[in-house]
Amino acid sequence: MKLGIYGYGNIGKGVELACSQNKDVELVGIFTRRNKEEVKSLLGTKVYSVNELNEFKDKIDILAICGGSATELPKMTVDLAKDFNVIDTFDTHANIPEHFKNVDKAAKDNGHIAMISCGWDPGMFSINRLYANALLPNGKDYTFWGKGISQGHSDAIRRIKGVVDAKQYTVPVKEVVNKVLNGETPELTTRDKHIRECYVVIENDADKVRIENEIKSMPNYFADYETIVNFVSIEELREKHSGMPHAGFVIRSGNTGINNENKHIISYNLKLDSNPEFTAMAVIAFARALYREKMNGTVGCLTVFDIRPRDIIDLPYDELLKHML
Amino acid sequence: MKLGIYGYGNIGKGVELACSQNKDVELVGIFTRRNKEEVKSLLGTKVYSVNELNEFKDKIDILAICGGSATELPKMTVDLAKDFNVIDTFDTHANIPEHFKNVDKAAKDNGHIAMISCGWDPGMFSINRLYANALLPNGKDYTFWGKGISQGHSDAIRRIKGVVDAKQYTVPVKEVVNKVLNGETPELTTRDKHIRECYVVIENDADKVRIENEIKSMPNYFADYETIVNFVSIEELREKHSGMPHAGFVIRSGNTGINNENKHIISYNLKLDSNPEFTAMAVIAFARALYREKMNGTVGCLTVFDIRPRDIIDLPYDELLKHML
């Protein structure tokens, strides 16, 4: 499979690294919107300008689009699906149906195949929600995120006057997670399930009390959550909070039995040192499946729900029967 | 989907109950090898003799074969695949490739579709091993079973002279599970990972010391494990140990990064009050997918690895995009 990377941010870099762990993938090049002379790839992969992409129409089987979900992907994936088979990591849950429709049309109109919303949530968490719902139709779902960095919340703190830099961790409330893992089925909102832990660097003369208040009272982002604000030095922020870890749980609790007397708990848990690198590993695994679907003549937009597990792995079927089933 | 149940033991009963939670399934009947007059179904489903099965060739879409893996299924599933589309829960891991081959031939020769080894291990655990290996090719797998009843080990204790009844729980060693969940990657054998907890009822005059020794020194079953023997009354055994709970973990720990510096841990955990009832829920979900494959003209033997997640659930695709992705 010949793969191209479109956009060289954190996920783009992760995809480059992921290719090196998957022998059946040939990385053709990285395509950047920046000045290509200024972009140095981690592993020496050749960097091209996006303006050169047209010359690669017949040289790339799958193009991994590594852009932002908020404003870039809704247009980018639709446009690129006209000329390439594409995969993206679109993660704005509420807008998935619309994005799917637009990408599906562009891909079908041009005889291409596409996949949107690959990664871990959406992605592996979605698959686990689906399996758990299919197996326990009479049950209740819980998704917990964290401990992990929320980019949006970190950005929101940085916009406050006097703040130099900030990182915000979303942290699931341990007692609540344990309750659910033990089979209790409380009614919970997102804010019952998570606390927000902030590490904030401020200007020397800035007013800590005002900044802490501004954070804690910020509507939507923090006002309704238990929020902890820690003021730290720029050195400490860099040293201890520069990673991109994330984690989370998908749990479903359901019942069977003649009187629903038997409880079953299914839980799926991820602990990731690097959110973008893990996301990128998912992109490569599902790009492989997409390539196989393309070989079978499939066109249009797919999601992780359409993919047979056997198609995401680079192992022959008889090996799977022998060692994994 | 019209479903038949072949064999009415614990899993057969579970499948009957599972049908009542899945509105798209019509349960045609239970087929027993016993005298049908003596078999009373849990929910009033009509019970037939297996000798009447021939009359149902055109009335059953999928036949769920609920027999034992040790001696029954290897012959039963192959024979029945000649006349029906079938699904079984064959769980002798070492013999899966051979069973697959035999069922595949019988199904293909007769234009039928089949699935073997549906349940949780093999089944959901297998799917999770596959996804985790595909996403983290550079990593290490761990499967832990328990706490749960092992039928084979319970039977082995019952064969000892002076033993009236017994139940054996396989219990994962908590400290070892926690180590692996925290990212350590020790080399472990099955016996490092599990202890064996026995509840034994003996005849009044039986020799406890001899029986405990015979259990603890039994080769293959107990000799190499940490084994705990508890002598209990028949009343206590019935009251506290008559359920069929089971549980387990599939964990994969792997690395990414330019110097493999980032660790990722994927874990899947089940806690089941009723092993056969949960297995049966999986049977129904995958029977649904099998029925859809049959409608598409697929023949031959499949496994859970061949099934697109979307096909195991009774919800339209746009609902999945909206609420589960």
Side-chain angles (χ1 to χ4, degrees):
Chain A
M1 166 172 63
K2 295 189 176 73
L3 193 104
I5 295 174
Y6 188 96
Y8 197 60
N10 291 325
I11 293 178
K13 285 174 187 159
V15 172
E16 185 189 17
L17 292 171
C19 289
S20 70
Q21 281 196 34
N22 288 276
K23 292 184 195 114
D24 59 332
V25 182
E26 182 192 332
L27 182 51
V28 174
I30 292 159
F31 297 84
T32 181
R33 289 158 290 174
R34 290 174 276 167
N35 179 350
K36 70 176 178 181
E37 315 298 337
E38 287 163 23
V39 175
K40 210 173 160 314
S41 64
L42 288 175
L43 301 177
T45 306
K46 188 131 195 227
V47 179
Y48 301 93
S49 160
V50 292
N51 301 324
E52 299 171 88
L53 191 58
N54 264 339
E55 299 158 31
F56 286 83
K57 276 188 191 174
D58 302 321
K59 292 174 191 155
I60 289 173
D61 294 312
I62 308 283
L63 186 64
I65 310 178
C66 306
S69 292
T71 56
E72 294 177 345
L73 293 177
K75 191 172 175 321
M76 212 180 259
T77 306
V78 174
D79 285 346
L80 290 166
K82 291 172 188 156
D83 292 319
F84 292 90
N85 303 298
V86 296
I87 185 166
D88 80 15
T89 59
F90 184 76
D91 67 0
T92 312
H93 287 264
N95 299 339
I96 284 174
E98 194 194 339
H99 188 49
F100 180 88
K101 206 181 91 193
N102 297 337
V103 174
D104 190 49
K105 185 175 185 325
K108 277 191 181 139
D109 286 352
N110 296 278
H112 289 125
I113 192 166
M115 181 180 286
I116 61 159
S117 302
C118 185
W120 61 275
D121 195 4
M124 291 311 302
F125 272 22
S126 322
I127 288 172
N128 276 281
R129 282 188 284 264
L130 194 160
Y131 277 116
N133 274 270
L135 266 67
L136 295 176
N138 174 18
K140 210 159 153 46
D141 279 322
Y142 294 89
T143 299
F144 293 92
W145 296 278
K147 183 178 180 177
I149 294 281
S150 163
Q151 213 51 62
H153 288 79
S154 302
D155 289 345
I157 301 172
R158 284 189 207 107
R159 285 192 294 264
I160 293 173
K161 191 170 174 296
V163 171
V164 176
D165 202 353
K167 288 286 168 79
Q168 193 264 191
Y169 294 91
T170 305
V171 186
V173 181
K174 211 171 217 173
E175 299 73 45
V176 178
V177 177
N178 286 338
K179 265 188 196 176
V180 173
L181 284 174
N182 285 323
E184 292 185 43
T185 52
E187 288 293 332
L188 300 169
T189 62
T190 303
R191 60 197 51 145
D192 293 329
K193 294 189 290 181
H194 301 96
I195 64 174
R196 306 209 164 273
E197 209 173 282
C198 313
Y199 293 86
V200 187
V201 180
I202 56 173
E203 288 164 7
N204 280 334
D205 56 349
D207 178 349
K208 283 189 182 179
V209 176
R210 174 190 54 84
I211 290 174
E212 180 160 349
N213 278 339
E214 278 195 42
I215 295 172
K216 289 187 169 175
S217 61
M218 201 184 293
N220 301 322
Y221 285 89
F222 296 100
D224 301 311
Y225 289 86
E226 188 190 330
T227 300
I228 298 163
V229 177
N230 302 292
F231 292 101
V232 295
S233 68
I234 188 84
E235 292 76 23
E236 185 177 337
L237 193 80
R238 278 187 196 142
E239 194 184 316
K240 294 192 184 157
H241 306 287
S242 64
M244 283 171 283
H246 223 308
F249 280 92
V250 169
I251 306 171
R252 186 164 175 90
S253 187
N255 289 71
T256 64
I258 198 153
N259 297 308
N260 278 323
E261 69 276 20
N262 291 317
K263 183 175 277 293
H264 309 286
I265 302 158
I266 304 173
S267 67
Y268 181 76
N269 175 220
L270 293 175
K271 276 199 261 181
L272 313 174
D273 275 356
S274 166
N275 183 353
E277 287 181 11
F278 185 81
T279 299
M281 296 304 285
V283 167
I284 292 299
F286 283 94
R288 173 180 294 125
L290 210 55
Y291 177 67
R292 293 178 182 178
E293 286 283 351
K294 164 187 126 87
M295 288 300 166
N296 290 333
T298 308
V299 296
C301 189
L302 305 179
T303 70
V304 293
F305 295 154
D306 294 285
I307 300 303
R308 307 183 302 171
R310 65 179 290 176
D311 284 334
I312 69 166
I313 197 161
D314 182 28
L315 280 175
Y317 193 67
D318 57 347
E319 286 291 308
L320 301 181
L321 291 186
K322 235 189 267 180
H323 301 300
M324 287 203 194
L325 191 62
Chain B
M1 169 173 61
K2 293 188 178 72
L3 192 104
I5 296 174
Y6 188 97
Y8 197 60
N10 291 325
I11 294 179
K13 284 174 189 160
V15 172
E16 185 189 16
L17 292 171
C19 289
S20 70
Q21 282 196 33
N22 287 277
K23 290 185 196 114
D24 59 333
V25 181
E26 182 192 331
L27 182 51
V28 174
I30 292 159
F31 297 84
T32 181
R33 289 158 291 172
R34 289 174 277 167
N35 179 348
K36 71 175 178 182
E37 313 300 336
E38 286 163 21
V39 175
K40 208 172 162 313
S41 65
L42 289 175
L43 301 177
T45 307
K46 187 129 195 230
V47 180
Y48 300 93
S49 160
V50 291
N51 301 322
E52 299 172 87
L53 190 58
N54 263 339
E55 298 158 32
F56 287 84
K57 277 188 189 172
D58 301 321
K59 293 173 192 155
I60 290 173
D61 294 313
I62 307 283
L63 186 64
I65 309 180
C66 305
S69 291
T71 57
E72 294 177 344
L73 293 177
K75 191 172 174 324
M76 213 179 257
T77 306
V78 175
D79 285 347
L80 290 166
K82 292 172 188 158
D83 292 319
F84 292 90
N85 302 297
V86 295
I87 185 166
D88 80 15
T89 59
F90 184 75
D91 67 0
T92 312
H93 287 266
N95 300 337
I96 284 174
E98 195 195 336
H99 187 50
F100 180 88
K101 208 181 90 193
N102 296 337
V103 173
D104 191 48
K105 185 175 184 328
K108 277 191 181 138
D109 286 352
N110 295 279
H112 289 126
I113 193 166
M115 179 180 287
I116 61 159
S117 301
C118 185
W120 61 275
D121 194 5
M124 291 311 301
F125 272 22
S126 321
I127 289 171
N128 276 281
R129 281 188 284 265
L130 194 160
Y131 277 116
N133 273 269
L135 265 67
L136 295 176
N138 175 18
K140 210 160 152 41
D141 279 321
Y142 295 89
T143 299
F144 293 92
W145 296 279
K147 182 178 180 174
I149 295 282
S150 162
Q151 213 51 60
H153 288 77
S154 302
D155 289 344
I157 301 172
R158 285 190 206 107
R159 284 192 293 265
I160 293 172
K161 194 172 170 298
V163 171
V164 176
D165 202 354
K167 289 286 169 77
Q168 193 263 192
Y169 293 91
T170 305
V171 187
V173 181
K174 211 171 214 173
E175 298 73 44
V176 178
V177 177
N178 287 338
K179 267 187 193 173
V180 173
L181 285 174
N182 285 324
E184 293 185 42
T185 52
E187 290 291 333
L188 299 170
T189 61
T190 303
R191 60 197 51 146
D192 294 329
K193 294 190 289 181
H194 301 96
I195 62 172
R196 306 209 165 273
E197 209 172 282
C198 314
Y199 293 86
V200 186
V201 181
I202 55 174
E203 289 164 6
N204 279 334
D205 56 349
D207 178 351
K208 283 188 181 176
V209 176
R210 173 189 55 84
I211 290 173
E212 180 159 350
N213 278 339
E214 278 194 43
I215 295 172
K216 289 186 169 174
S217 61
M218 202 184 293
N220 301 320
Y221 285 89
F222 297 99
D224 300 312
Y225 290 86
E226 190 190 329
T227 300
I228 297 164
V229 177
N230 302 292
F231 292 100
V232 296
S233 67
I234 188 84
E235 291 75 26
E236 186 177 338
L237 193 81
R238 279 188 195 140
E239 194 185 317
K240 294 192 184 156
H241 307 289
S242 65
M244 283 172 284
H246 222 310
F249 281 93
V250 169
I251 306 171
R252 188 168 174 89
S253 185
N255 289 72
T256 65
I258 197 154
N259 297 307
N260 279 324
E261 69 277 19
N262 291 318
K263 184 176 276 292
H264 309 287
I265 302 158
I266 305 174
S267 66
Y268 182 76
N269 176 218
L270 293 175
K271 276 199 260 181
L272 313 174
D273 276 354
S274 166
N275 183 352
E277 286 180 12
F278 186 80
T279 299
M281 296 303 286
V283 166
I284 291 299
F286 283 94
R288 172 181 295 123
L290 209 55
Y291 176 68
R292 292 178 182 177
E293 286 284 351
K294 166 188 125 88
M295 288 299 168
N296 290 333
T298 308
V299 295
C301 190
L302 305 179
T303 69
V304 293
F305 294 154
D306 295 284
I307 300 302
R308 308 184 302 172
R310 65 180 288 178
D311 283 334
I312 70 165
I313 197 161
D314 183 27
L315 281 174
Y317 194 67
D318 59 345
E319 286 290 308
L320 300 181
L321 291 186
K322 233 188 268 180
H323 301 299
M324 286 203 196
L325 192 61

